[in-house]
Amino acid sequence: MLINGIPTEAVSARDRGLAYGDGHFTTMLVKQGQVIWWPAHLARLQHACARLGFAEFPWDSLAAEVAQLAAGQTQAVAKIVLTRGSGGHGYDGAGCNTPTRIVSLAPYPAHYLGWQQNGIAALVCQQQLGDAPMLAGLKTLGRLEQVLLKSELAARGGVEGIVLNSRGFLVEGVSANLFWRRGKTVFTPDLSRAGIDGIMRKRVIMMLKQMGIELRVVEAPLESLWQAEEVWLTNTLMGIVPVTSIGDVHYPSPVLIRRLQERLVIEV
């Protein structure tokens, strides 16, 4: 772990990331010493910094630190956390001119390989996400909703869940973005009010466009999944994971999913 370029695990107790969740992050796949889709992750971080009004950031230093930790890794997970830094008065972050950057490395979750091949059964989560249009799409540090959703999964013996918003529309999985196919059309939820616009979500959308497959970004109720022929979840680490069932509804033929997985293997 590097904090502002220094090997340490200590951060100031005055850091606004700790006090207010005043920051954001990205989680990256490392293969053969390289961060997969680094330009996309960098663009995500820069976009979030602009949206949140962070001070100017040393992007070259960050890139060097990521490369330092990734070097020599066959397969691993790299994570970048950026906060506004220390200072300000209460909620007012004025005067915070030195953002904090935290770069860390962790083992790759090997069970994702089995998920990609065999798929997973998903639950419908009972807890729902609140609308937050000011932060929608961003991967901010305020992940308490996901912490509670993960606790719900554990209590119910599930590995992943389908999450709706408080208005009853599909948003995403607990840790992943959501897609489904009906006929010749693929659907994914509108994330303008809640949810994270993931790097893998963008890749899948791009691949569908290249394949000439219609994609609709929609506000859709849970019942839309009962009419689907395929359902899948995506994030940077798990890749593309087939959902084999949701409750009593089964999805036995991941035809398009396999085509997308094959294209993804070529990319990475």
Side-chain angles (χ1 to χ4, degrees), residues 178-181 184-189 201-202 204-209 212-218 232 256:
L178 172 67
F179 291 84
W180 66 96
R181 179 184 67 82
K184 296 182 179 180
T185 304
V186 172
F187 301 84
T188 194
R201 179 179 186 264
K202 293 177 184 293
V204 169
I205 290 173
M206 183 187 71
M207 287 191 291
L208 291 169
K209 183 177 181 180
I213 296 174
E214 181 185 11
L215 172 75
R216 296 184 185 176
V217 179
V218 295
W232 65 95
L256 177 57

Side-chain angles (χ1 to χ4, degrees), residues 38-158:
W38 167 247
H41 285 284
L42 179 60
R44 161 190 265 181
L45 294 169
Q46 291 173 333
H47 172 70
C49 280
R51 281 269 301 272
L52 298 175
F54 278 21
E56 284 298 314
F57 201 83
W59 298 110
D60 289 344
S61 296
L62 178 66
E65 291 156 12
V66 171
Q68 176 185 336
L69 289 190
Q73 298 293 324
T74 302
Q75 190 168 32
V77 177
K79 182 176 181 179
I80 298 171
V81 175
L82 306 182
T83 82
R84 199 180 301 273
S86 300
H89 301 280
Y91 291 144
D92 185 0
C96 294
N97 299 318
T98 308
T100 299
R101 62 186 188 274
I102 303 170
V103 184
S104 61
L105 202 68
Y108 179 77
H111 65 269
Y112 282 158
L113 301 177
W115 286 18
Q116 292 165 11
Q117 184 61 37
N118 303 318
I120 59 171
L123 303 175
V124 177
C125 291
Q126 296 167 351
Q127 300 174 106
Q128 298 177 326
L129 294 173
D131 283 353
M134 284 195 298
L135 300 175
L138 302 182
K139 203 165 185 177
T140 64
L141 296 183
R143 298 289 103 200
L144 277 178
E145 287 180 317
Q146 284 68 33
V147 170
L148 294 176
L149 287 164
K150 194 70 174 180
S151 296
E152 178 185 335
L153 285 180
R156 297 173 60 191

Side-chain angles (χ1 to χ4, degrees), residues 239-260:
I240 300 170
V241 170
V243 173
T244 57
S245 65
I246 305 173
D248 295 330
V249 180
H250 294 266
Y251 308 98
S253 302
V255 178
L256 177 57
I257 293 170
R258 296 307 183 203
R259 291 176 61 195
L260 290 168

Side-chain angles (χ1 to χ4, degrees), residues 108 112 115-116 160 175-176 233-241:
Y108 179 77
Y112 282 158
W115 286 18
Q116 292 165 11
E160 252 298 347
S175 306
L233 297 169
T234 68
N235 72 28
T236 301
L237 302 182
M238 70 170 60
I240 300 170
V241 170

